[in-house]
Amino acid sequence: MDEIHLAADVSNHAHRREEALRELGVAVHVHDASINAVPPLSLTPSGGGDHFAVFTPYFRKWETAHRRGVLRAPRRLAVPRLSGDLPGELHRGATSPDLAAGGETAGRNLMANWARTGVDGYADLHDALADDATSRLSPHLHFGTVSVTELLDRVGTASEGARAYTRQLAWRDFHHQVLAARPRSATQDYRTRHDRWRRSDRDFEAWRDGRTGYPIVDAGMRQLAQEGWMHNRARLITASFLCKTLYLDWRRGARHFVDLLVDCDLANNQMNWQWVAGTGTDTRPNRVHNPLAQAKRYDSEGTYVKRYLPELSDVDVRHVHEPWTLPDDERAALDYPSPVVDLREAADRFAAARGIGKKNGTRR
Ligand SMILES: Cc1cc2nc3c(=O)[nH]c(=O)nc-3n(C[C@H](O)[C@H](O)[C@H](O)COP(=O)(O)OP(=O)(O)OC[C@H]3O[C@@H](n4cnc5c(N)ncnc54)[C@H](O)[C@@H]3O)c2cc1C
């Protein structure tokens, strides 16, 4: 083999891979993969520094930054003749039973429908768990079956929904530039809070298996297992539950997401986990997403919970987020666990660990 052409990537793993290939004596050509609307590290803070550590000033620059135009697809592509065996099955382990369709045709259809009928409602509906009213384009953006440049062009900025959506796409670029500048943040705290995380396998397994006894957390984790994807609001709730309520290391949770998420992207996964754990770029690092408050606010009828937890499908809306409040006989008839932790005790434990006086969680 004489040459290798690679798409650029921001992770430490990607840098090490390039070095290893060069050491083999192969000519390595790294190409701009254009997976971002604004390339990582092309914007820097006016006050100095190699990257933005806070989203809002980044977004102000991102909005007015130059973006390349949408290019036409080439009519023909000259590709080298391949010899030898190509890897067959790349995926190890079981596939989520309800995985969405992949590929460019599916991606382009989804993008067209989203731009026509979905995006205008985004500002109002993106957090409503039961409505499932986000674009679900993340796997396509990750695999390149949809171009972010074209997507931004298609949705425009005319409606409030389109502007809110564009902002989310900027978060994606924001996390990429953080990881590009600090590649070690994939595995190390971006900003240490000197956490001495607990190591309970029992609690971790309850979380991983969607058996914590908190329906909103368990519904998110079951959605992940079933679809290989989870609603953003549920990602925030389940991740906060792991790091702040159970006080377990964010890396354990991030690893599980890496194993199951079809949209898994190292920068977005690890930096969002760090954001939630308070070791990343969140300017309020000790905020806790209280699962009961979140459930009542974003799934007030319990529809999302019932969709993924069939064992609670007959439970009245007054109890669906707190099944422990059911009369004893009804509760005993359910195949559903008691809460793995008491929320007040958990909040006290977290406050003590972080050396803060405030005990009750706040909401995002
Ligand atoms: C703990 C945690 C882990 C996450 N892991 C990933 C991951 O591995 N890959 C991934 O693409 N996103 C990740 N996200 C961000 C977000 O949850 C997903 O991008 C979003 O849920 C994908 O669904 P959607 O395409 O319908 O999003 P939409 O709401 O339709 O948003 C459109 C696009 O904007 C981008 N986007 C939206 N929110 C974020 C965000 N907070 N950070 C970065 N980009 C965002 C995504 O590319 C998304 O496809 C994570 C969030 C959390 C809290």
Side-chain angles (χ1 to χ4, degrees):
M1 190 180 303
D2 305 322
E3 311 186 356
I4 292 191
H5 292 258
L6 292 173
D9 190 350
V10 293
S11 71
N12 225 2
H13 173 73
H15 296 315
R16 280 201 304 268
R17 184 175 52 200
E18 283 166 29
E19 273 165 36
L21 286 170
R22 287 199 177 94
E23 278 164 19
L24 290 174
V26 184
V28 177
H29 305 276
V30 181
H31 299 274
D32 170 18
S34 297
I35 63 158
N36 297 99
V38 176
L41 307 183
S42 60
L43 304 179
T44 46
S46 325
D50 60 354
H51 73 291
F52 282 86
V54 178
F55 176 73
T56 306
Y58 175 76
F59 182 57
R60 274 200 290 271
K61 276 214 167 171
W62 183 94
E63 272 188 304
T64 53
H66 167 75
R67 288 209 306 262
R68 71 175 175 85
V70 180
L71 303 175
R72 281 171 166 239
R75 281 177 186 276
R76 295 188 60 203
L77 271 181
V79 289
R81 194 184 292 274
L82 295 169
S83 59
D85 289 338
L86 285 174
E89 188 67 51
L90 288 174
H91 179 79
R92 287 186 299 274
T95 305
S96 303
D98 294 337
L99 203 58
E104 191 172 349
T105 307
R108 294 191 68 78
N109 287 339
L110 203 55
M111 170 167 66
N113 284 337
W114 175 252
R116 212 173 30 242
T117 60
V119 71
D120 290 344
Y122 187 77
D124 294 330
L125 294 177
H126 71 278
D127 267 331
L129 282 161
D131 289 77
D132 198 7
T134 65
S135 70
R136 287 202 178 226
L137 280 164
S138 51
H140 295 285
L141 289 165
H142 174 65
F143 286 107
T145 41
V146 157
S147 138
V148 68
T149 310
E150 186 175 359
L151 178 60
L152 282 163
D153 258 28
R154 289 269 192 120
V155 298
T157 50
S159 68
E160 199 189 329
R163 289 190 292 277
Y165 187 71
T166 299
R167 189 178 162 89
Q168 287 316 109
L169 289 168
W171 269 105
R172 181 171 174 267
D173 286 359
F174 172 73
H175 290 313
H176 278 128
Q177 57 97 46
V178 173
L179 194 66
R182 299 287 180 274
R184 293 213 168 108
S185 306
T187 51
Q188 294 172 11
D189 289 348
Y190 177 75
R191 285 202 179 104
T192 182
R193 307 289 172 196
H194 306 288
D195 290 295
R196 300 179 65 184
W197 305 104
R198 295 170 61 245
R199 290 165 179 255
S200 165
D201 287 343
R202 182 199 77 128
D203 288 359
F204 177 75
E205 283 158 19
W207 176 84
R208 182 195 62 193
D209 299 340
R211 303 277 299 164
T212 66
Y214 288 96
I216 197 74
V217 174
D218 296 339
M221 298 308 292
R222 306 258 195 111
Q223 180 178 28
L224 175 62
Q226 209 167 305
E227 300 176 14
W229 184 89
M230 199 197 293
H231 192 285
N232 179 59
R233 178 52 52 183
R235 294 188 204 204
L236 291 166
I237 297 169
T238 54
S240 173
F241 193 83
L242 185 88
C243 308
K244 288 176 168 166
T245 304
L246 297 178
Y247 200 51
L248 298 177
D249 194 330
W250 63 266
R251 280 158 279 240
R252 284 190 91 175
R255 177 77 243 173
H256 180 62
F257 273 32
V258 168
D259 285 344
L260 294 195
L261 275 179
V262 66
D263 63 20
C264 186
D265 170 292
L266 201 69
N268 280 320
N269 193 55
Q270 309 305 93
M271 297 322 298
N272 266 299
W273 268 95
Q274 294 229 43
W275 190 94
V276 176
T279 57
T281 56
D282 187 6
T283 48
R284 289 166 56 207
N286 295 325
R287 76 173 94 190
V288 177
H289 292 74
N290 179 308
L292 292 182
Q294 293 277 313
K296 288 175 186 166
R297 186 163 173 195
Y298 298 112
D299 186 33
S300 56
E301 301 297 315
T303 313
Y304 176 78
V305 156
K306 291 186 180 192
R307 191 177 299 153
Y308 295 102
L309 302 182
E311 63 268 47
L312 300 184
S313 58
D314 294 330
V315 175
D316 186 90
V317 62
R318 286 169 299 152
H319 301 287
V320 73
H321 291 304
E322 305 167 83
W324 57 89
T325 60
L326 282 165
D328 286 349
D329 54 334
E330 287 180 46
R331 192 179 165 190
L334 289 177
D335 174 24
Y336 190 68
S338 302
V340 69
V341 68
D342 175 84
L343 289 184
R344 184 153 291 280
E345 284 170 18
D348 288 348
R349 174 172 64 198
F350 179 66
R354 287 276 170 101
I356 42 179
K358 192 166 170 230
K359 291 183 181 169
N360 291 322
T362 52
R363 293 186 299 203
R364 188 191 187 193

